[in-house]
Amino acid sequence: MTLKLETIASHLAGLEETLIYKLLDRAQFAGNPGAYRPGQSRFRPHEVSSLFELRLHHQEKLDTLFGRYLIPEERPFYLALPPPRRVPTQGETGLVIQDLETVNVTGPIRTDYLAMLPGLCGDGDDGQWGSSVEHDVICLQALSRRIHYGALYVGESKYREAPEKFAALVAAGDDSGLMAAITRAAVEETVLARVMAKVKAVQSVSDPALRRLVDPGVIVDFFRSTIIPLTKEGEIHYLYQRKPGV
Amino acid sequence: MTLKLETIASHLAGLEETLIYKLLDRAQFAGNPGAYRPGQSRFRPHEVSSLFELRLHHQEKLDTLFGRYLIPEERPFYLALPPPRRVPTQGETGLVIQDLETVNVTGPIRTDYLAMLPGLCGDGDDGQWGSSVEHDVICLQALSRRIHYGALYVGESKYREAPEKFAALVAAGDDSGLMAAITRAAVEETVLARVMAKVKAVQSVSDPALRRLVDPGVIVDFFRSTIIPLTKEGEIHYLYQRKPGV
């Protein structure tokens, strides 16, 4: 696999577009804070977990059967999921990685997503907890896919551009050197501008009588403060585990 | 509940918009006919069902736990699902119906959807069977919701406009009289024109380098030949089971 940065960038832009649509779908429901509080799921028999946790865990137990987490960029939020019953067809990835779970930043993805929700949806309660957490799972899966795709494939393609330099930084344990080496400030600004334009364009064709519109700044800020930094954190995890010379 | 036809129509338009987005998402993958053939899921241990059937059935078994099918317009595609572990909060629906399953047209929804897929996605194979059937389930759920919402709430609101007339048609078993009484040709044309405009508008803000564009006529034809007729079929089922004078 050639791992052309151009192809990777175009795929990332597609994943970002999907993510924007999913976040705007979630925003059609209220924040529904009770859906995220332990013990309030109203499951019978009683469950300690929140409705959100129950939904996410059940969905991942289903998805793992179908082999979702054998795809490099599909990293799960839960550990110890059952084994897959199916192996999806996949071409050669071009990645050099033994254990995909060494590049898993779903912990901070979940934390940051839940912290962003009140900005996206407000803190009201419309009673639609089930639909809300169903959309949360879709958003988290789209986030995990976008962030880990960037971490893995952008990480590998940057390594290939300067293998000696990255091998030396890794050997020296130089985190800030690695961060400097993978950061492309101009590309980040381009991404943020594209997200702003995309949210505005999508909402421009929505009927405000049917759909609640969102402040595009909320989504742009989420890209700036969470998606881009966690992608770079994942890239560094990837580079640390990558065997040099392969 | 007042069941104002205006509110119902606006909610239906919102469900249609969601459905259009889901169909365009499915169209990003190839038709992948093998995913719909029995015995080809590559599940281990072997399964007789197709990958599509497995995905739909597993998802419904999960969703029923969360109480999805206690919502009137959320009708399942499978029978004999496990009992819910949670009862979603719901306001008074205004519907007069004992058994929601008396208004379930998911059989023809599934048949017609699968027949429409090659027109939407072509008949090629891109290897992405897992993503394809995941999107199919989302499309089928959006279709079931749109069609049964129309069948139930439009059916009830039309009944309330002329209860004696509908009671007489039902008592006489006059199917063609019922069909004539619930048909609003001008409204149907308005829906089709709105769908055409919506598909065009959504695709106008898509980047053709990132997203495969769809012939809007495929989606408009699906509304004309499946969604509208099955909604009316569901309305007639609803009217037959509705107790007069309640």
Side-chain angles (χ1 to χ4, degrees):
Chain A
M1 193 176 169
T2 49
L3 277 184
K4 281 174 65 180
L5 203 46
E6 198 181 304
T7 315
I8 296 169
S10 150
H11 190 68
L12 275 175
L15 295 173
E16 281 159 16
E17 179 160 334
T18 301
L19 176 59
I20 288 168
Y21 280 117
K22 307 306 182 199
L23 292 171
L24 295 176
D25 283 346
R26 172 63 184 87
Q28 303 312 305
F29 302 93
N32 293 320
Y36 307 88
R37 291 199 196 107
Q40 296 200 10
S41 70
R42 291 189 283 113
F43 260 53
R44 295 290 171 266
H46 183 75
E47 293 275 0
V48 174
S49 305
S50 69
L51 186 66
F52 164 75
E53 296 282 352
L54 288 167
R55 180 85 204 180
L56 182 57
H57 202 181
H58 271 86
Q59 189 66 49
E60 293 207 326
K61 284 190 279 193
L62 188 167
D63 286 338
T64 193
L65 292 184
F66 286 77
R68 172 188 288 263
Y69 304 115
L70 301 173
I71 307 283
E73 65 268 29
E74 301 280 7
R75 307 301 348 120
F77 289 79
Y78 281 88
L79 300 169
L81 295 169
R85 290 193 55 194
R86 174 176 192 268
V87 178
T89 43
Q90 269 191 89
E92 177 55 50
T93 64
L95 301 174
V96 181
I97 183 164
Q98 288 280 334
D99 176 4
L100 288 166
E101 283 300 286
T102 55
V103 182
N104 184 332
V105 293
T106 53
I109 290 175
R110 170 163 35 183
T111 306
D112 287 8
Y113 173 78
L114 293 176
M116 178 274 297
L117 263 190
L120 188 72
C121 306
D123 56 4
D125 190 321
D126 60 11
Q128 305 216 52
W129 294 16
S131 295
S132 298
V133 301
E134 205 176 303
H135 282 82
D136 288 330
V137 171
I138 293 169
C139 286
L140 287 170
Q141 291 184 331
L143 274 167
S144 174
R145 191 180 308 124
R146 159 61 184 79
I147 290 172
H148 293 108
Y149 185 90
L152 296 164
Y153 291 96
V154 178
E156 174 64 21
S157 76
K158 285 180 182 164
Y159 177 90
R160 291 191 190 184
E161 283 173 10
E164 291 82 7
K165 175 177 161 190
F166 280 108
L169 288 166
V170 163
D174 184 353
D175 286 1
S176 56
L178 280 167
M179 185 56 85
I182 62 171
T183 296
R184 314 266 153 108
V187 173
E188 291 176 16
E189 290 310 315
T190 306
V191 169
L192 297 174
R194 187 176 61 211
V195 170
M196 177 65 88
K198 186 77 209 175
V199 176
K200 285 183 179 166
V202 171
Q203 294 198 132
S204 74
V205 296
S206 278
D207 179 349
L210 303 179
R211 303 261 302 172
R212 197 175 76 80
L213 302 186
V214 164
D215 172 7
V218 172
I219 296 180
V220 172
D221 284 346
F222 191 58
F223 270 80
R224 181 187 288 111
S225 62
T226 292
I227 296 175
I228 292 174
L230 288 181
T231 303
K232 296 202 284 184
E233 188 180 322
E235 285 181 53
I236 291 177
H237 288 311
Y238 178 79
L239 291 165
Y240 266 111
Q241 66 73 48
R242 193 197 187 287
K243 300 278 175 297
V246 179
Chain B
M1 191 176 172
T2 48
L3 277 184
K4 279 174 65 178
L5 203 46
E6 199 182 304
T7 315
I8 295 170
S10 151
H11 190 68
L12 275 176
L15 294 174
E16 281 158 16
E17 179 159 336
T18 302
L19 176 60
I20 288 167
Y21 281 118
K22 305 309 180 197
L23 292 172
L24 295 176
D25 282 347
R26 173 62 185 88
Q28 302 313 305
F29 302 93
N32 293 321
Y36 307 88
R37 291 197 195 108
Q40 296 200 12
S41 69
R42 291 190 283 112
F43 260 54
R44 296 289 172 268
H46 182 75
E47 293 276 1
V48 173
S49 304
S50 70
L51 186 65
F52 163 76
E53 296 282 351
L54 287 166
R55 181 83 204 180
L56 182 57
H57 201 180
H58 272 86
Q59 189 65 50
E60 292 206 327
K61 284 189 279 194
L62 188 166
D63 286 336
T64 193
L65 292 183
F66 287 76
R68 173 189 287 266
Y69 305 115
L70 301 173
I71 308 283
E73 65 268 29
E74 302 278 7
R75 306 307 342 123
F77 289 79
Y78 281 89
L79 299 170
L81 294 168
R85 290 192 56 194
R86 174 175 191 269
V87 178
T89 42
Q90 273 189 87
E92 177 54 49
T93 64
L95 301 174
V96 181
I97 182 166
Q98 288 281 334
D99 176 4
L100 289 166
E101 284 300 287
T102 53
V103 182
N104 184 332
V105 292
T106 53
I109 291 176
R110 169 161 36 181
T111 305
D112 288 6
Y113 173 78
L114 293 176
M116 178 273 299
L117 262 190
L120 188 72
C121 305
D123 56 4
D125 190 321
D126 60 12
Q128 305 214 54
W129 294 17
S131 295
S132 299
V133 300
E134 207 176 301
H135 283 82
D136 288 329
V137 171
I138 293 169
C139 287
L140 286 171
Q141 290 183 331
L143 274 168
S144 175
R145 191 181 306 123
R146 158 63 184 78
I147 290 171
H148 293 110
Y149 185 90
L152 295 164
Y153 291 96
V154 177
E156 174 64 21
S157 77
K158 285 179 183 166
Y159 178 90
R160 292 193 191 183
E161 283 173 11
E164 290 82 8
K165 174 178 162 190
F166 281 107
L169 288 166
V170 164
D174 183 352
D175 286 1
S176 55
L178 280 166
M179 184 56 82
I182 63 172
T183 297
R184 315 267 152 109
V187 173
E188 292 177 16
E189 290 309 314
T190 305
V191 169
L192 296 175
R194 187 175 62 211
V195 170
M196 175 64 88
K198 187 76 209 177
V199 176
K200 286 183 178 168
V202 171
Q203 294 199 131
S204 74
V205 297
S206 277
D207 180 347
L210 304 179
R211 303 262 301 175
R212 196 174 78 79
L213 302 186
V214 164
D215 172 7
V218 172
I219 296 180
V220 173
D221 284 346
F222 190 57
F223 270 79
R224 182 185 290 112
S225 62
T226 292
I227 297 174
I228 291 174
L230 287 181
T231 303
K232 295 200 286 183
E233 187 181 322
E235 284 180 57
I236 291 177
H237 288 311
Y238 178 78
L239 291 166
Y240 265 112
Q241 67 74 49
R242 193 198 187 285
K243 301 276 176 300
V246 180

